[in-house]
């Protein structure tokens, strides 16, 4: 209310993104997969989701990034251990999400701005909706954006790559 009436407010996207980050949006990426989490590090359904996704695509790297505030907790460490144990193509990373975006084509995250940021940076992005206690989330208003099983995620990836389904980026433009 204190701004001059002739001032315009323009949405600019993610905070802290550099020109180099924006320049990398259209760079080719491998078909690897990112999984971002924080609040669901205590959810065994997410562990199963990560493991099933990696098992379905054994020749791809599944980059697993846990938000720093959770990664240093016992639950974060236990989550990484449970998710990666015995599956060689899951790589735990402490890189920033923007660094991970540059080397992946698909992004899966628990409820977080990472879902929208991955979408903004050209990835096929999805929210992993596996919590029994997470009652509300605006992202649930968008069909095909929220997935509750690894089977759904695997199907979407396979359908995108077969040309049977196009990721509906335009449908999410108002996010």
């Amino acid at each position: 209310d204190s701004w001059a009436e002739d001032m315009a407010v323009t949405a600019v996207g993610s905070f802290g993104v550099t020109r180099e980050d924006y320049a990398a949006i259209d760079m080719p990426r491998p078909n690897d997969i990112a999984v971002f989490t924080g609040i669901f590090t205590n959810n065994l359904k997410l562990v199963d989701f990560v493991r099933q996704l990696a098992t379905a695509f054994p020749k791809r790297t599944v980059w697993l990034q846990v938000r720093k505030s959770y990664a240093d907790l016992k639950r974060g460490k236990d989550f990484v251990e449970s998710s990666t144990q015995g599956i060689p193509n899951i790589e735990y990373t402490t890189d920033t999400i923007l660094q991970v975006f540059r080397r992946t084509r698909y992004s899966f995250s628990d409820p977080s701005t990472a879902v929208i940021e991955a979408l903004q940076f050209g990835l096929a992005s999805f929210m992993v909706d596996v919590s029994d206690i997470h009652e509300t989330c605006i992202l649930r208003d968008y069909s095909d954006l929220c997935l509750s099983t690894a089977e759904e995620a695997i199907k979407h990836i396979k359908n995108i790559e077969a040309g049977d389904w196009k990721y509906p980026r335009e449908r999410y433009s108002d996010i």
Side-chain angles (χ1 to χ4, degrees), residues 47-95:
V47 171
D48 290 339
F49 183 95
V50 173
R51 294 178 64 81
Q52 289 177 38
L53 196 57
T55 301
F57 299 103
K59 295 184 178 179
R60 301 183 193 195
T61 301
V62 174
W63 295 98
L64 180 60
Q65 191 232 44
V66 177
R67 182 172 287 194
K68 179 99 174 103
S69 57
Y70 292 91
D72 295 334
L73 300 175
K74 181 180 182 328
R75 72 186 251 185
K77 293 173 184 174
D78 290 347
F79 174 83
V80 171
E81 175 66 25
S82 297
S83 297
T84 61
Q85 188 173 27
I87 303 180
N89 63 317
I90 302 174
E91 293 284 336
Y92 173 66
T93 183
T94 58
D95 292 343

Side-chain angles (χ1 to χ4, degrees), residues 77-150:
K77 293 173 184 174
D78 290 347
F79 174 83
V80 171
E81 175 66 25
S82 297
S83 297
T84 61
Q85 188 173 27
I87 303 180
N89 63 317
I90 302 174
E91 293 284 336
Y92 173 66
T93 183
T94 58
D95 292 343
T96 68
I97 62 170
L98 293 170
Q99 291 169 321
V100 176
F101 289 168
R102 291 183 186 177
R103 59 181 180 251
T104 56
R105 181 174 176 195
Y106 303 98
S107 174
F108 299 90
S109 175
D110 55 15
S112 164
T113 58
V115 176
I116 299 164
E117 290 165 331
L119 174 63
Q120 176 187 358
F121 280 86
L123 281 72
S125 177
F126 303 92
M127 184 181 95
V128 182
D129 196 8
V130 294
S131 176
D132 297 331
I133 60 170
H134 190 247
E135 294 180 17
T136 61
C137 180
I138 190 170
L139 297 178
R140 289 185 182 133
D141 294 340
Y142 298 88
S143 64
D144 293 325
L145 189 63
C146 297
L147 308 176
S148 57
T149 68

